[in-house]
Amino acid sequence: MSSPPALPHSSGRSRRRALLAAVALLCALPLTSGAAHAATPPNQAALKTDPLTKGPYSIERDEYSAGDLLLNLSATDPTKGQTLVPLRGSVTFPTGTAKTSKVVVFLHGNYSACRDSTGGAPAAPNPVDAPVGGPTRDNCSIADKANSYAGYDYLSDNLASQGYVVVSAEANFSGVFRSNGADGNLGRSQLLQATLEVIDGWNHGTGVIGFDDPSKPPSSRPSLAGKLDLDGGVGLMGHSRGGDGVTHFIDFNRNNTIGKQWLLDGVLALAPVASAPTVVPEGTNYGLLLPGCDGDVSDLQGDHFYGDAKRDPANANVSLTKWFVQGADHDFYNSVWGSTQDDASRLTGGCGPTDPKTARLSQPEQRATGSAIINSFMRRYVGAETDFDPLMTGETTLPASACPTGASLLIVPCDALVQTSYTAPAAQRLDVLDPAGGAAPPTVAESGGAVAATGLSRYEVCDPKPVVAPAVPVTPTPCPATSPSWGPQLTLGWNAPASLSVGLGAGAGTKDVSGYEALTFDTAVDYGVAENPAGEAKDFAVTLTDADGKTASTQAAFWTGSLRATQRNTSRGPTVLTGVRIPMSAFTGIDTSHVASVTFGFGGTGQPAQGMVQLADVSFLHAPIAPPAATIPPPDGPQPDLGTVLAPGISPVTGAAVPSAPTPSTGTPAACADGKDPSSALRSVSHATKKRTGVVTLSVRGTAKDAATCPQGKGVAKGGVARTLVSVTRTVKGGCRFLTVDAHWSATRSCALPVVLTAKGTKAWSRAIRFRLKSVPGYSAKHRTAITVRAWSYDRAGNRGRTVKRTVHLKA
């Protein structure tokens, strides 16, 4: 793909045969490291900015906890099915910038809530839905949590360095997040709504972000007040069931006429589930990333979203892009998931790690493709950075920095790794052939010309999702094999030279396409039919004919990986329509201001003698001439009050109190607010070691008091100590390790993110814990081993007092 061939009058086929021979030779090479180099993705010159390059800003990441979220889990009756879940996650943001930042929110999918301290199997049963109105709680310690939201830190770090604020919400709580269907997505939508309200609160100076450094005063807490641009539009990315969730949130948001609505500049679904009832993403720039070796959502059902959205009238002014990434696994895009599981290992056909010709990407390689695609999408549509248009339109597929370097290149070179499908805003394209649903193939094209088929053994309209037209109760023919690409498409089969010709103008009329930059269409090879033997690539000619009868042709397979035998489709995997983008520079020697027809030619010299392909959405594409305009479509009708609220209780992470009367998560200041911090004192820290067993008993005692600024107030305004938290720290190289509730030591982590132990009592408090002396990191029998005990208290209004600390030296 490094040099586009122009084949006027069908010339140059010898060059094409030489190329195919070279590809066949490459695939026959043994899988040895360094045996091949990454082919350069097409038209790299079009990409002015490398999305993998670190930006100019330093970054900070903090965890946050905003109390308990009251979820209404019934889609039909909001008074039933209520449960409480903790509302928390991480926020990554740039430092040292005076400009306001765009906001992106990530939502993960289904994974274990608990794991053991070494990152293996779950250490305790996952949380389940509590009784109606009751809280859902973890069954594992902080050190043992499987923090799925941290699995996208590699994406957050890069975006934050470019000036964006990224919030990754936790969705590990209660069975609702592991369920599909209306109720599950209703819960996810309410979680997203509440998260956005919390972020909006940060922007207005309310709410607390994360753990501040225990060695610094409360005033050192990070603040995003006045630093966020939420009104200008936000971005969402969801993975797996989170992808289903962010897609459903588009619909939830436009029907949320009671709570605050958000302008969604861009929504991207990564390997999504598409649970019933499905929705059509409308009014926003929408991206879909499908891993070619997805062993979890193995039928790639999320492709339904793109198929339904691409010709929806509500999407006339927005852009839609689908990326199919060969060799990519469902789990590896999340570094936490990928550390313990690989769902693609159950697959064959080039996806299994033991396959003799595996096309699998390593975890770093796959995450490089994720960074290139996901972050470019957010920077293009949320940040309006037009340098990334070529990655959205398919003009180029990857930056060279994201090309893999391992053995997978011997099966799939980098320029065929990503297959991009793009639907431009209606004003930026000339639709030529968009088959509608029905029993008969079209005879007249969208462009107005005649459609003529010659010599085809199969020529019919099919639709993987049968649709009954209101006035004409005719069901389209099912597609030959399972396909997740919803929407009408043509099935074209041949066993001899054949063609499909599409006129561009009525009668003998022509169209001026000289101002367009590319001819695009979607296609796929179905390896579940006899016409397509497994492993056999397909190709066909694409010819433009002008008013004088002159022709210019090129081969479709030169411009896409859609027509080669991929690692999944040869093993009867899903048949996914993916895009072909042929630049107009490939058609030379004709008058492009008077083009009469587009012809697809099959079975000619140098082409497969037989085969069958799917074809849809033939269009000429302008260069982007106007920014896509996200909107909030009108609601479907009156909606029940599903406003999300913070429920009363104590935040399970920070220990901050939530008001006893539920209020919106953005918060409404009380007439008298308690702004005074409580105080704590360490009265004694003692330890005793049993020589026979080496078990240390550490006892910590102290007092706390709180003098509220409005003692005559009611509820939280009246003041009072809520709780005291204790952390036991061992400083090590690279950070700190903390003593956990089960007497183990956590993995090395930031000293600003302690594992906390809850003390008993309020005004007078205490905490005792036992651990083995030899378990202390860096313990030495010859030297004293220092650990540090810290304590701090919260009052009922959520104010945190200064940290008090004492160092203890342990020795046998």
Side-chain angles (χ1 to χ4, degrees), residues 648-700:
I650 300 295
S651 168
V653 174
T654 65
V658 178
S660 56
T663 58
S665 56
T666 50
T668 301
C672 178
D674 179 10
K676 192 166 184 177
D677 296 333
S679 61
S680 298
L682 272 173
R683 298 303 183 190
S684 67
V685 178
S686 61
H687 66 281
T689 304
K690 290 187 175 181
K691 292 186 177 181
R692 186 175 62 84
T693 61
V695 174
V696 178
T697 300
L698 180 69
S699 298
V700 184

Side-chain angles (χ1 to χ4, degrees), residues 72 185-194 197 245-257 259-262 264 279 636 639-640 642-644:
N72 295 287
N185 282 309
L186 178 60
R188 295 182 187 96
S189 291
Q190 290 177 83
L191 172 66
L192 286 166
Q193 176 71 17
E197 290 178 2
V246 296
T247 304
H248 277 78
F249 182 76
I250 301 171
D251 189 65
F252 177 93
N253 183 61
R254 72 186 180 96
N255 287 306
N256 185 18
T257 57
K260 182 169 181 176
Q261 291 179 299
W262 314 91
L264 305 176
V279 294
D636 293 326
Q639 299 295 309
L642 293 175
T644 51

Side-chain angles (χ1 to χ4, degrees), residues 326-685:
Q326 299 206 62
D329 157 74
H330 186 88
D331 302 309
F332 288 178
Y333 283 118
N334 183 302
S335 61
V336 172
W337 298 0
S339 67
T340 61
Q341 67 184 30
D342 175 8
D343 285 324
S345 61
R346 69 184 69 154
L347 301 175
T348 59
C351 285
T354 60
D355 288 347
K357 289 186 177 181
T358 183
R360 287 297 307 283
L361 302 176
S362 68
Q363 293 197 44
E365 288 173 341
Q366 181 169 327
R367 285 196 278 275
T369 68
S371 294
I373 292 171
I374 297 168
N375 287 3
S376 293
F377 177 87
M378 295 303 172
R379 293 177 65 180
R380 171 60 189 93
Y381 296 121
V382 181
E385 297 185 55
T386 57
D387 280 1
F388 298 103
D389 273 328
L391 280 173
M392 304 301 104
T393 65
E395 184 177 1
T396 190
T397 59
L398 280 177
S401 59
C403 287
T405 58
S408 67
L409 287 172
L410 294 172
I411 307 300
V412 183
C414 189
D415 59 351
L417 185 69
V418 177
Q419 299 166 22
T420 306
S421 306
Y422 175 66
T423 301
Q428 298 177 24
R429 66 179 194 262
L430 169 64
D431 292 334
V432 175
L433 184 62
D434 181 17
T443 58
V444 178
E446 277 64 36
S447 55
V451 180
T454 303
L456 291 169
S457 59
R458 293 280 296 269
Y459 179 45
E460 56 199 26
V461 176
C462 74
D463 192 342
K465 181 191 70 171
V467 177
V468 177
V472 184
V474 177
T475 300
T477 303
C479 289
T482 301
S483 171
S485 299
W486 282 8
Q489 52 199 268
L490 291 175
T491 299
L492 306 176
W494 70 95
N495 51 29
S499 65
L500 178 69
S501 179
V502 185
L504 296 192
T510 63
K511 295 284 188 182
D512 181 1
V513 297
S514 59
Y516 292 87
E517 68 174 13
L519 173 68
T520 66
F521 53 89
D522 287 346
T523 191
V525 180
D526 184 351
Y527 285 93
V529 297
E531 292 93 332
N532 297 326
E536 183 177 284
K538 299 299 173 183
D539 196 7
F540 52 84
V542 182
T543 303
L544 300 187
T545 303
D546 68 14
D548 295 328
K550 294 180 181 179
T551 62
S553 298
T554 187
Q555 297 299 124
F558 189 89
W559 305 102
T560 182
S562 304
L563 296 169
R564 64 175 292 158
T566 69
Q567 67 274 16
R568 285 300 305 282
N569 57 28
T570 57
S571 61
R572 303 292 291 274
T575 301
V576 180
L577 288 172
T578 52
V580 181
R581 185 184 188 280
I582 305 176
M584 292 302 294
S585 59
F587 302 102
T588 61
I590 64 170
D591 180 5
T592 55
S593 65
H594 295 89
V595 173
S597 65
V598 179
T599 300
F600 301 93
F602 309 93
T605 303
Q607 296 176 341
Q610 70 167 5
M612 192 173 73
V613 298
Q614 306 299 115
L615 181 72
D617 307 320
V618 183
S619 302
F620 286 94
L621 183 67
H622 266 300
I625 56 178
T631 60
I632 302 177
D636 293 326
Q639 299 295 309
D641 183 359
L642 293 175
T644 51
V645 298
L646 290 183
I650 300 295
S651 168
V653 174
T654 65
V658 178
S660 56
T663 58
S665 56
T666 50
T668 301
C672 178
D674 179 10
K676 192 166 184 177
D677 296 333
S679 61
S680 298
L682 272 173
R683 298 303 183 190
S684 67
V685 178

Side-chain angles (χ1 to χ4, degrees), residues 772-795:
R772 291 189 178 277
L773 184 60
K774 291 184 178 180
S775 72
V776 180
Y779 166 75
S780 171
K782 297 181 179 179
H783 304 284
R784 291 181 179 271
T785 302
I787 61 173
T788 300
V789 177
R790 291 181 173 88
W792 60 98
S793 299
Y794 289 90
D795 66 16

Side-chain angles (χ1 to χ4, degrees), residues 22 64 170 230 237 284 325 362 482 485 524 549 620 643 747 755:
Y64 68 89
E170 182 169 271
L230 287 167
M237 185 280 285
T284 182
V325 183
S362 68
T482 301
S485 299
F620 286 94
V755 174

Side-chain angles (χ1 to χ4, degrees), residues 61-64 88-92 106-109 111 142 145-154 156 167-173 211 334-337 653 749 753:
R61 178 163 40 249
D62 288 280
E63 295 184 352
Y64 68 89
R88 62 196 186 205
S90 69
V91 54
T92 309
F106 295 157
L107 181 67
H108 68 80
Y111 187 70
I142 290 177
K145 294 183 187 304
N147 290 330
S148 292
Y149 62 84
Y152 311 112
D153 285 352
Y154 70 101
S156 303
V167 173
S168 189
E170 182 169 271
N172 259 359
F173 300 95
F211 296 104
N334 183 302
S335 61
V336 172
W337 298 0
V653 174
R749 58 193 287 173
L753 299 175

Side-chain angles (χ1 to χ4, degrees), residues 27 60 80 89 110 219 288 302-303 326 382 520 535 546 573 611 695 701 717 755:
C27 290
E60 180 176 342
K80 296 181 179 179
N110 174 32
S219 59
L288 176 67
D303 197 20
Q326 299 206 62
V382 181
T520 66
D546 68 14
V695 174
R701 297 179 181 275
V755 174

